[in-house]
Amino acid sequence: MTFTSSLYSALLAVLLFVSCSDSNNKPATRPQSGSWQLVFNLDEVEIPIRLSIQDSVWTIHNSTEEIALDSIQWAGNVFHVNLPLFNTSLDGELVNEKELKGLWTDHSRDSIYQIPFQLQFENDKTPLQKMATEQNVYAVTFSPDIPQDMYKAVGLFNTMGDRVTGTFLTETGDYRYLEGATTGQSMHLACFDGSHLFYFCANVQGDSLTDGKFYSGKHWNEEWNATLDPEAMLHDPDSLTFLKNIDDTFNFKVRATSGDSIEFGTSSFADKVTIVQLFGSWCPNCTDESRFLKQLYSRYQAQGLQIVPVAFERGDNFKVSRKNVQLQFSELGLDYPAYFGGTANKSCASIVFSDLSEIISYPTTLFVDKKGRVRKIHTGFYGPGTGDYYRRHTEMLEMFVQQLLAE
């Protein structure tokens, strides 16, 4: 059976029909509890992701990150899973208790975006050990032979026997929780968080990683290489975007959830410390930052901290964008309203925030003092998958907020 977009529609129709019929007509066969491998099939490569099933809960494992999928809907042998936080789903059928197949669909995109997958039972797989290891740091270059696409990164890799975990830091964020394996001559790393499907592979030659290939879903791939370098570092993320004229009054105009236009200016920031977050509900780095901002808000709201998140969404349908953002805010438990700047194209964000030199990343975060002056513009966000980088990064941001509040 071939899975297509028409099958996706058929799956939903079957689920709707069965949900309105006798609930006792469910087959006894269900996936076996234990360890599974979720394998996404691209034209050039298969991407393996760890998944476990215990009763009715499926859990995706990306290194130490666990993503629970507890909303599985069954209609006979057909299943539908809405992935948390992002507007994506897994749809397919049970072949037998040790095999499933289907499609991952990203509904946040303008055009149909689907990748086929298989779920294979492998209960004898050794669990990933959570042990302390020495971290190896690499200086990384992506797209090294294409000057207009080339960019630098820092690779952080931990080796535990034949297992590898880690991530890549870039000047626009990080590639979150990666895990994979090494033979000593080659290595691969992958993650799937519901929004992004990443796969990295390379040859190991002494202190270098060569002939690397990076796949982001089915829409992007590029080459990369790396050299062991404990001193590898990137530009200061506070220096990449700046005000065109520091003497100008900072203001911007966005839409409220009602659809009405609202302008933020000097009076909006008076006697408050404001964090303006440019984000997208489709962006996992933004979601990592939103969780951190939620913590800051709960600690410092009473002292005058306000958060102004401005969404830039895929597609130009405002009602769809509003639904996606409100659903994510509800799942994250964010207590402040969202605003809307337009589509996810960075040129759109640069028009809305015309006081800034450029927008090169989601998230981009502005820290505004009680007089309405922009005191810091931070590009990207180092999430919890970066370990000590995340801890240092969030500690410094919190200290800066404390400083602004004390002024």
Side-chain angles (χ1 to χ4, degrees):
M1 185 177 185
T2 301
F3 280 79
T4 65
S5 58
S6 60
L7 177 59
Y8 169 73
S9 299
L11 290 171
L12 294 184
V14 171
L15 285 165
L16 178 62
F17 173 79
V18 174
S19 66
C20 297
S21 62
D22 185 357
S23 61
N24 292 323
N25 293 330
K26 294 180 180 178
T29 304
R30 284 291 178 262
Q32 188 166 328
S33 291
S35 299
W36 289 69
Q37 190 171 70
L38 173 60
V39 180
F40 292 94
N41 302 301
L42 302 184
D43 291 337
E44 297 182 32
V45 69
E46 292 185 339
I47 303 178
I49 303 295
R50 283 193 305 130
L51 184 142
S52 62
I53 296 179
Q54 293 297 330
D55 300 322
S56 61
V57 177
W58 300 6
T59 303
I60 295 170
H61 301 271
N62 298 309
S63 184
T64 57
E65 179 186 48
E66 297 183 350
I67 303 173
L69 313 179
D70 54 6
S71 62
I72 297 93
Q73 296 175 272
W74 287 95
N77 287 335
V78 174
F79 65 88
H80 171 77
V81 184
N82 286 322
L83 293 159
L85 297 175
F86 309 107
N87 188 17
T88 64
S89 66
L90 299 174
D91 299 273
E93 67 173 351
L94 178 75
V95 179
N96 55 60
E97 64 178 8
K98 293 187 177 182
E99 182 182 358
L100 301 92
K101 62 180 180 179
L103 285 172
W104 169 50
T105 304
D106 186 344
H107 306 281
S108 71
R109 297 178 182 270
D110 289 337
S111 58
I112 295 173
Y113 191 95
Q114 296 177 316
I115 296 177
F117 68 82
Q118 290 180 304
L119 263 169
Q120 302 164 342
F121 181 75
E122 48 177 28
N123 198 46
D124 58 347
K125 187 176 179 66
T126 304
L128 185 68
Q129 300 298 314
K130 299 179 181 179
M131 61 180 69
T133 61
E134 182 179 355
Q135 187 174 77
N136 291 318
V137 180
Y138 285 79
V140 184
T141 303
F142 285 95
S143 294
D145 298 325
I146 308 176
Q148 65 270 26
D149 293 333
M150 185 180 69
Y151 62 99
K152 298 293 185 178
V154 175
L156 310 174
F157 307 129
N158 305 305
T159 303
M160 299 161 282
D162 63 349
R163 302 290 181 89
V164 180
T165 63
T167 194
F168 294 85
L169 305 178
T170 75
E171 291 185 340
T172 60
D174 67 271
Y175 285 122
R176 307 193 79 251
Y177 299 88
L178 301 172
E179 73 166 69
T182 180
T183 65
Q185 296 180 326
S186 65
M187 63 172 282
H188 71 264
L189 292 155
C191 79
F192 173 65
D193 52 30
S195 179
H196 288 148
L197 175 63
F198 292 147
Y199 182 76
F200 302 83
C201 58
N203 294 325
V204 179
Q205 296 186 354
D207 288 343
S208 298
L209 302 174
T210 65
D211 303 313
K213 199 72 177 285
F214 164 43
Y215 297 84
S216 179
K218 66 178 185 179
H219 62 279
W220 176 257
N221 66 79
E222 62 183 327
E223 297 179 351
W224 64 279
N225 56 48
T227 303
L228 189 67
D229 182 359
E231 304 301 321
M233 59 188 302
L234 302 170
H235 290 105
D236 181 357
D238 294 343
S239 68
L240 301 176
T241 296
F242 51 88
L243 287 174
K244 293 178 181 177
N245 189 335
I246 61 174
D247 295 324
D248 285 350
T249 301
F250 175 62
N251 61 78
F252 58 92
K253 186 179 294 185
V254 291
R255 298 175 76 179
T257 54
S258 63
D260 295 334
S261 178
I262 182 170
E263 185 169 0
F264 284 85
T266 303
S267 62
S268 310
F269 308 124
D271 300 321
K272 296 279 188 180
V273 171
T274 306
I275 298 176
V276 181
Q277 179 198 31
L278 284 63
F279 79 104
S281 67
W282 46 269
C283 165
N285 282 153
C286 301
T287 305
D288 286 339
E289 184 182 60
S290 292
R291 290 191 174 101
F292 168 66
L293 294 181
K294 175 185 176 181
Q295 296 173 6
L296 284 185
Y297 187 69
S298 66
R299 292 172 190 157
Y300 301 109
Q301 177 194 10
Q303 299 179 37
L305 177 65
Q306 65 177 351
I307 311 290
V308 178
V310 180
F312 291 87
E313 294 294 290
R314 290 172 172 162
D316 55 7
N317 187 316
F318 177 72
K319 291 183 178 180
V320 172
S321 296
R322 178 175 60 190
K323 179 182 177 181
N324 292 340
V325 171
Q326 289 180 326
L327 178 61
Q328 186 179 85
F329 269 45
S330 176
E331 290 189 55
L332 290 172
L334 303 182
D335 294 332
Y336 38 81
Y339 301 90
F340 298 84
T343 64
N345 191 315
K346 295 185 183 74
S347 62
C348 177
S350 294
I351 293 172
V352 175
F353 290 88
S354 57
D355 294 335
L356 306 185
S357 59
E358 62 178 336
I359 306 297
I360 64 174
S361 173
Y362 296 111
T364 293
T365 311
L366 292 75
F367 295 79
V368 186
D369 67 17
K370 297 175 183 179
K371 295 181 179 180
R373 299 172 300 182
V374 177
R375 299 281 292 275
K376 182 195 292 283
I377 303 173
H378 191 90
T379 297
F381 184 78
Y382 293 155
T386 66
D388 288 339
Y389 285 80
Y390 169 75
R391 285 185 285 274
R392 290 196 296 268
H393 174 50
T394 53
E395 286 173 0
M396 291 176 64
L397 290 180
E398 183 165 4
M399 288 174 62
F400 188 70
V401 169
Q402 292 172 342
Q403 173 190 326
L404 295 181
L405 288 168
E407 292 178 352

